[in-house]
Amino acid sequence: FSSRRRHTRCCSWSRGLGDVYKRQFLTLTRELDVELKGIYGSLQAVYDKHNVIDPIDTAIVGYRGDEAIACGCFKKVDTEHVEIKRLYVKPNYRRQGFSSKVLQALEAWASGLGYAVALLETGKKQPEAIELYRKFGYRIIANYGPYRGMENSLCMQKLLS
């Protein structure tokens, strides 16, 4: 991936977001927030503070034509770990491999920057997400950091090297 839009078989991508792409990333993550509130109700408010990603310098937006349809990002935890965040695909584009491509691109990017481990948190009421992460080699771990003691959280990790 380069910092410019790159076309692949399924879609095009933008990595290292400029202003237009930041707005599209934020629009997609707002859609994700609405969906999560539909699943978890008022409980989702507890997680909102953990989903703030600013500045957004490790985000990817995926496109079908000119439409932004998928996104994800990662944030640095420490010198060896990153946390995968805000992975989302618009409902009409699900089950077409876009989430896999976003996840793989984020992992490759983080690995290329020298990170060895990817962490993530997902909700127990999101079986499709859990299935995706297991498919790509993530294993369940004890809840870490801000997710300790949160019963609805499921934390996972994968070695990137």
Side-chain angles (χ1 to χ4, degrees):
F1 286 95
S2 69
S3 61
R4 299 174 189 256
R5 287 175 74 174
R6 177 179 164 209
H7 294 276
T8 64
R9 188 173 152 236
C10 71
C11 53
S12 61
W13 302 97
S14 177
R15 184 179 100 169
L17 303 178
D19 288 341
V20 170
Y21 305 114
K22 282 182 186 178
R23 283 194 300 274
Q24 291 170 334
F25 176 80
L26 293 172
T27 296
L28 288 168
T29 59
R30 281 192 292 274
E31 291 176 22
L32 170 60
D33 291 336
V34 169
E35 185 172 313
L36 292 172
K37 283 181 177 104
I39 295 170
Y40 296 104
S42 61
L43 179 62
Q44 185 59 32
V46 174
Y47 291 86
D48 288 345
K49 64 186 171 198
H50 306 305
N51 291 326
V52 175
I53 306 297
D54 193 30
I56 305 167
D57 57 358
T58 54
I60 291 175
V61 174
Y63 299 86
R64 172 58 63 87
D66 290 331
E67 182 182 5
I69 63 163
C71 67
C73 65
F74 63 87
K75 71 177 189 176
K76 177 183 177 178
V77 174
D78 58 35
T79 58
E80 292 187 7
H81 297 79
V82 294
E83 183 179 17
I84 303 292
K85 305 284 294 175
R86 314 308 283 157
L87 188 60
Y88 176 73
V89 177
K90 285 187 167 192
N92 290 347
Y93 295 96
R94 293 184 183 161
R95 297 286 186 196
Q96 299 177 44
F98 296 114
S99 59
S100 297
K101 292 195 178 295
V102 172
L103 181 60
Q104 289 174 311
L106 291 170
E107 290 173 349
W109 191 1
S111 179
L113 292 174
Y115 294 102
V117 180
L119 301 169
L120 61 84
E121 180 275 340
T122 192
K124 290 182 178 178
K125 293 181 181 179
Q126 295 169 261
E128 297 86 356
I130 296 166
E131 177 185 330
L132 171 74
Y133 299 134
R134 283 187 168 153
K135 175 181 166 185
F136 283 93
Y138 285 80
R139 63 178 182 82
I140 296 171
I141 59 171
N143 287 5
Y144 60 87
Y147 308 109
R148 285 187 187 106
M150 296 182 122
E151 288 187 28
N152 287 310
S153 289
L154 181 70
C155 293
M156 304 176 91
Q157 81 171 16
K158 176 183 177 178
L159 298 178
L160 298 175
S161 308

